[in-house]
Amino acid sequence: MTKRIGILTSGGDCAGLNAVIRAVALRAHHGHGWTTVGISHGTLGLLERPVAARELDPARLDAALARQGGTFLGSTNKGDPFAYPMPDGSLRDRSGEMAEAVRLLRLDGLIGVGGDGSLEILRRLFQPTGVPFIGVPKTIDNDVANTERAVGYSTAVAIATEALDRLQPTGASHDRIMVLEVMGRDAGHIAIAAGIAGGADVVLIPEIGWRLAHVTEHVAKLRDAGRRTALVVVAEAAGKSDDPPDPKDDAPSQHGMGEWLAKRLAATTGAEVRATVLGHVQRGAEPTAEDRLLASALGVRAVDLLAEGGRDRMVAWWNRKVIDVPLDKVVGRSRTVDRAGSLVATARALGICLGDS
Ligand code: F6P
């Protein structure tokens, strides 16, 4: 009997989502003779009647799709099904309507592509339907637990690195300190990786407690040694440091880290400083080859896992291969930068100041 599986993308978009959708639909069709139904705008499509979803034609999912950024299905990071914001300002539990949509679509399995928050919501939402659910990790933040890589991260790092490559010559031409703020809601993975790859002098991440005084001292030393420019990478969440910054530093906990740091460094070093906030530029690009590969491998495995009777699991990348793990070991956890890990050690060995000494 032909099975029907549904796929939706949920949470913030990133590069590589289309490659996941393509891999799922192709594997379902060619490997198992199944039909794939694409659900529009994440869980929001499940609120519409008729349900906003369509069968995906494998013949139209050519390689061009794997190159495209964004998600052609659309996504949402709003509208918690269990506390859905209504026009009158109240919050309503609309999970029942969404579960009913799954029944209306006559699905035998569901694949959700999301970060830890989305996977937690989707799992809870679909459990009462009895339809097996498999998660695929995606987020430029790369902070999903129990996977070394999430789709979208490689592209974000490549973009942030390229930004540093571009900031260096302009900074050097004007003897300026160039501050680059990169994304990462709670984790510094993009900052540390791009900082190393792009030759930063300073990298500030939330996982490592830092002091403005250490940063100033490091930059001043560079300037004393004759280098008039410096590259500083700051994660947007650096102010949420586990080891809180000196209260007199007054760092913002999320928005505005780049500008805040630039102002402080201008005051403490006397140098000209410019801040660049990279923002959503890190999300909406053509995926790197690595992200296309990861997306394809995880998408294929998610379908095969459903075929094997798997449910309530997430496909993951671990130790150079695709594995799958129970969602129990994913939701409610996160994977932040390991303070004792190789990247932090590499940064220190290269003389990059992490603000803690
Ligand atoms: O989680 C992905 C992410 O891009 C974070 O890095 C960032 O903090 C957040 O989403 C931005 O969300 P929004 O698109 O709602 O502004």
Side-chain angles (χ1 to χ4, degrees):
M1 206 181 81
T2 305
K3 285 198 175 183
R4 282 164 66 83
I5 60 168
I7 180 163
L8 53 77
T9 48
S10 185
D13 75 296
C14 62
L17 293 176
N18 286 322
V20 178
I21 301 164
R22 171 176 179 263
V24 164
L26 292 184
R27 181 60 183 164
H29 177 74
H30 296 301
H32 304 282
W34 297 351
T35 300
T36 302
V37 176
I39 298 164
S40 300
H41 292 101
T43 47
L44 296 186
L46 298 173
L47 286 178
E48 291 182 34
R49 295 295 181 271
V51 181
R54 63 214 188 257
E55 289 186 4
L56 303 180
D57 178 358
R60 303 188 68 165
L61 304 178
D62 62 16
L65 190 62
R67 293 187 190 101
Q68 280 170 24
T71 160
F72 79 92
L73 290 178
S75 189
T76 181
N77 57 6
K78 294 194 180 62
D80 178 347
F82 304 96
Y84 190 89
M86 302 301 287
D88 66 0
S90 63
L91 297 176
R92 188 193 293 173
D93 183 348
R94 302 190 70 182
S95 59
E97 291 166 69
M98 294 188 191
E100 185 202 44
V102 171
R103 280 188 287 275
L104 291 172
L105 291 174
R106 294 176 288 106
L107 299 178
D108 302 295
L110 267 158
I111 293 174
V113 194
D116 55 345
S118 295
L119 293 178
E120 182 164 12
I121 286 178
L122 294 177
R123 174 195 200 213
R124 196 172 146 211
L125 178 65
F126 296 137
Q127 236 158 17
T129 67
V131 177
F133 172 67
I134 302 294
V136 177
K138 67 88 213 164
T139 167
I140 64 166
D141 298 355
N142 204 35
D143 57 354
V144 178
N146 280 300
T147 182
E148 286 165 356
R149 285 279 178 275
V151 173
Y153 170 66
S154 157
T155 307
V157 171
I159 293 166
T161 303
E162 190 189 329
L164 289 170
D165 293 348
R166 292 175 184 219
L167 289 172
Q168 195 281 332
T170 172
S173 304
H174 290 269
D175 290 349
R176 285 172 171 160
I177 297 173
M178 305 303 281
V179 174
L180 177 68
E181 179 189 306
V182 298
M183 277 186 167
R185 197 190 313 255
D186 300 301
H189 292 288
I190 298 175
I192 191 92
I196 293 171
D201 300 293
V202 177
V203 175
L204 301 181
I205 58 175
E207 293 85 347
I208 294 182
W210 51 271
R211 295 280 180 273
L212 185 62
H214 294 314
V215 179
T216 303
E217 202 181 312
H218 186 77
V219 171
K221 262 194 214 150
L222 291 176
R223 292 175 74 80
D224 288 349
R227 189 136 67 75
R228 310 299 300 164
T229 186
L231 285 178
V232 176
V233 179
V234 59
E236 62 175 337
K240 286 181 178 173
S241 172
D242 298 344
D243 176 11
D246 193 330
K248 73 177 182 311
D249 287 350
D250 190 26
S253 66
Q254 189 86 16
H255 298 291
M257 270 308 302
E259 288 291 348
W260 177 88
L261 191 61
K263 278 201 192 102
R264 294 297 189 284
L265 284 178
T268 54
T269 63
E272 244 192 347
V273 188
R274 292 289 185 272
T276 300
V277 179
L278 208 46
H280 292 81
V281 167
Q282 291 155 101
R283 291 205 329 216
E286 280 189 0
T288 58
E290 193 183 338
D291 265 333
R292 295 180 209 183
L293 273 169
L294 181 68
S296 303
L298 295 181
V300 165
R301 181 68 193 128
V303 175
D304 289 348
L305 196 52
L306 281 176
E308 289 162 17
R311 54 168 60 222
D312 205 29
R313 298 183 77 79
M314 182 188 80
V315 289
W317 185 258
W318 201 262
N319 216 359
R320 290 180 293 155
K321 57 179 183 229
V322 181
I323 61 162
D324 54 273
V325 293
L327 274 167
D328 252 346
K329 292 203 168 162
V330 175
V331 301
R333 305 178 185 205
S334 72
R335 198 182 61 84
T336 51
V337 174
D338 180 0
R339 298 159 69 125
S342 299
L343 286 192
V344 168
T346 302
R348 291 195 198 283
L350 291 173
I352 297 174
C353 168
L354 300 178
D356 55 343
S357 63

